[in-house]
Amino acid sequence: MHITVTTLSDQIFSLDVSEDLELENFKALCEYEIGISASEIAILWNGRPLHDDKRTLVSYGIKNGDMLLLQHMRGPSQAPNSPQQPAPAIPLIDFGSINIPGQPQTQGAQGPSRASGGGQRPLAPDDPEVIRQMLLGSPHELSLLKERNPPLAEALLSGNKEKFIEVFNKQRKEKMEKERERIQLMNADPFDPSVQSVIAEEIRMKNVESNMESAIEFAPESFGQVVMLYIDCKVNGHHVKAFVDSGAQMTIMSQACAERCNIMRLVDQRWAGIAKGVGTQKIIGRVHLGQIQIGNDFLQSSFSILEEQPMDMLLGLDMLKRHQCCIDLKKNVLIIGTTGTETRFLSESELPDQARLNFSQPMSPKSQMSEDAQLAEALAKSQNDGTQPGPSSENKTVNPSASIKADYPEEVIQRLMNNGFSRQEVIQELGAANGNVDQALAALFAKSFQLPK
């Protein structure tokens, strides 16, 4: 039958046991689950303590689906709610749901060497230094601490005792405050909307924790980090490690990489703009035609040059579709459909330094608040820089008033206006291009990427 066990510290786990299982064997299973000695475990069912360890669960009337309460007692002979000993205190040490070997904090405990009367086992220490030494001496608990309580694990591994004590006391204080709020909540009006919302949030978080526990047990690989897809290639004879990203619309290259590959002289600044995704970056311009060497193949592609891009090059969907590329994760290769060439994805040790950074950390509130300000600043900067003349208009002076009054065929003007531009913009660009319709249309589209003047 399926039994659910809960503790005073809200730790919940389930056991599938036989109806004929004796109580002492049931306690042994609980000892394995939570790390508390079976002699110090007391089981309560429907508010009634179960004393006889030789009786079976079914003899107590326990049925499939019932919930039992587990209490951690001070000594092996103490029974729950016994008049000789006070009720055990609620554990106040927060290790991120990690079961630390030993007993919970109790009043009057001064350290690991103090023992209670009657030959009982030593009381659990609440000294942070003792906890620190205990964690350092247990590799298993340390690995769990890294996974479930990263702040405390980081403080522990830093070797700074003061930092560990500070984090430890802060978490314990937060745990005490939450426990105090929970007790007040239990005594409040259950029909109060604010209380209902808090209860709903507690239920939601328990479901989240249960879902996470199931994932850790049945799909632990989901907590690992996958290696991004990089390939070796050459641009203008220079070696580059390119990131393959089918979710990117265009192929991009950093300014530093473009300078290293000696292709900055081909950048068309009329295609300047702003790239906005995770953050914002300024697009300096575009190289309309370049060659990427993958293996023995030379593939044509265009590059958008970004000013402050951390990775050297990113192969976007435009290049992948143009050459009918296929990402084969079973063979771990990129297949070039137009040539049939296969190139392997780089292993983790071969990745560039920026690819090893952990980008999964949540964005700080300060970064979230300043994202719009960064976008506005980048747009303004791009607008100012984008006023530089392109190669086709270099050393040319344009008189806007004269261009607007110039006489051009109405059919040409209407054809350009059908692309979403105003009559004034069309006439002005026709004047700048000396009547060349294609050049004027290209200039209109280039300026459309920038903030209107």
Side-chain angles (χ1 to χ4, degrees):
M1 57 184 177
H2 189 76
I3 300 297
T4 302
V5 182
T6 182
T7 67
L8 292 176
S9 59
D10 290 338
Q11 185 177 359
I12 300 176
F13 59 92
S14 300
L15 296 173
D16 290 318
V17 299
S18 170
E19 296 180 348
D20 299 331
L21 183 69
E22 295 180 350
L23 183 60
E24 61 179 356
N25 295 329
F26 181 78
K27 290 181 178 180
L29 292 177
C30 294
E31 176 184 357
Y32 177 79
E33 290 289 336
I34 64 175
I36 299 176
S37 174
S39 61
E40 301 175 9
I41 291 177
I43 304 296
L44 287 82
W45 178 62
N46 289 340
R48 178 168 57 92
L50 310 181
H51 299 290
D52 192 351
D53 290 342
K54 297 300 182 181
R55 290 182 59 181
T56 61
L57 298 180
V58 69
S59 67
Y60 280 111
I62 300 174
K63 304 179 295 298
N64 181 43
D66 283 355
M67 176 175 286
L68 304 180
L69 174 63
L70 183 151
Q71 282 187 325
H72 182 191
M73 314 308 297
R74 285 189 177 183
S77 61
Q78 180 183 350
N81 301 329
S82 172
Q84 288 80 11
Q85 296 289 347
I90 298 174
L92 300 177
I93 300 177
D94 181 13
F95 290 104
S97 302
I98 297 178
N99 303 319
I100 303 299
Q103 301 181 4
Q105 175 187 355
T106 55
Q107 296 181 354
Q110 301 297 328
S113 60
R114 175 177 176 179
S116 57
Q120 294 180 340
R121 294 179 57 183
L123 298 179
D126 60 353
D127 184 5
E129 177 60 22
V130 176
I131 299 297
R132 193 178 75 89
Q133 294 297 336
M134 182 171 54
L135 288 171
L136 290 174
S138 176
H140 174 68
E141 299 298 339
L142 183 57
S143 64
L144 291 179
L145 188 68
K146 292 179 182 178
E147 179 181 330
R148 304 183 184 183
N149 196 336
L152 190 61
E154 181 181 356
L156 176 67
L157 297 177
S158 67
N160 190 331
K161 297 181 180 180
E162 289 74 15
K163 182 178 180 181
F164 176 82
I165 294 174
E166 179 184 355
V167 176
F168 178 85
N169 291 333
K170 180 181 178 181
Q171 291 189 356
R172 182 166 58 178
K173 183 178 179 180
E174 291 176 353
K175 175 68 175 178
M176 294 173 61
E177 186 64 28
K178 289 181 180 179
E179 190 64 29
R180 188 180 300 108
E181 292 177 357
R182 191 179 70 86
I183 294 175
Q184 292 176 354
L185 181 66
M186 295 303 176
N187 298 328
D189 182 9
F191 297 101
D192 188 341
S194 60
V195 176
Q196 286 286 322
S197 63
V198 175
I199 294 176
E201 179 63 19
E202 280 198 6
I203 294 174
R204 189 190 72 84
M205 287 306 301
K206 287 185 178 180
N207 291 336
V208 170
E209 291 294 336
S210 176
N211 181 262
M212 181 178 176
E213 290 175 2
S214 299
I216 292 175
E217 181 176 359
F218 299 109
E221 66 277 4
S222 63
F223 293 90
Q225 291 186 352
V226 297
V227 178
M228 304 304 289
L229 304 179
Y230 278 80
I231 62 171
D232 273 326
C233 64
K234 289 184 178 180
V235 178
N236 201 19
H238 294 267
H239 180 76
V240 176
K241 294 182 178 180
F243 174 44
V244 180
D245 186 3
S246 61
Q249 186 178 15
M250 59 187 179
T251 298
I252 65 176
M253 179 182 287
S254 69
Q255 181 180 3
C257 182
E259 293 173 351
R260 192 169 68 248
C261 297
N262 298 323
I263 60 174
M264 282 298 293
R265 56 188 174 81
L266 301 176
V267 175
D268 188 347
Q269 296 182 359
R270 294 174 300 178
W271 262 256
I274 293 297
K276 186 176 186 302
V278 182
T280 58
Q281 292 183 2
K282 177 188 172 184
I283 301 176
I284 298 177
R286 177 178 176 181
V287 177
H288 298 294
L289 184 62
Q291 283 190 335
I292 304 175
Q293 182 182 356
I294 301 178
N296 296 323
D297 296 335
F298 290 85
L299 309 177
Q300 295 179 352
S301 179
S302 59
F303 308 105
S304 294
I305 309 301
L306 271 62
E307 186 176 42
E308 297 179 355
Q309 172 64 22
M311 64 182 65
D312 286 341
M313 187 167 68
L314 183 148
L315 301 182
L317 195 59
D318 57 344
M319 186 270 182
L320 297 177
K321 293 189 70 174
R322 177 184 300 175
H323 299 286
Q324 303 173 13
C325 297
C326 176
I327 298 175
D328 192 335
L329 298 180
K330 184 176 181 180
K331 295 181 180 180
N332 197 37
V333 296
L334 176 68
I335 303 174
I336 311 299
T338 53
T339 63
T341 302
E342 295 184 0
T343 180
R344 68 177 184 87
F345 292 118
L346 301 182
S347 61
E348 186 173 5
S349 61
E350 299 172 303
L351 297 183
D353 293 337
Q354 68 272 7
R356 300 193 184 105
L357 298 178
N358 184 6
F359 293 104
S360 61
Q361 298 297 332
M363 185 180 295
S364 64
K366 182 178 180 181
S367 300
Q368 293 175 350
M369 293 175 61
S370 63
E371 182 178 354
D372 292 338
Q374 293 175 359
L375 175 60
E377 180 182 354
L379 284 170
K381 185 177 180 182
S382 176
Q383 179 189 8
N384 296 332
D385 295 346
T387 57
Q388 300 176 359
S392 61
S393 60
E394 188 175 359
N395 299 327
K396 291 183 180 179
T397 303
V398 179
N399 188 340
S401 60
S403 300
I404 295 174
K405 297 177 182 178
D407 187 14
Y408 300 105
E410 187 64 26
E411 179 184 355
V412 173
I413 296 176
Q414 290 297 329
R415 183 153 62 97
L416 294 179
M417 290 176 61
N418 290 338
N419 292 287
F421 305 107
S422 66
R423 185 181 185 87
Q424 180 178 351
E425 291 175 333
V426 169
I427 295 177
Q428 183 174 342
E429 291 303 327
L430 282 172
N434 292 329
N436 188 318
V437 179
D438 294 335
Q439 185 176 338
L441 181 60
L444 287 169
F445 275 116
K447 289 186 177 182
S448 69
F449 292 117
Q450 304 175 17
L451 197 65
K453 298 180 181 179

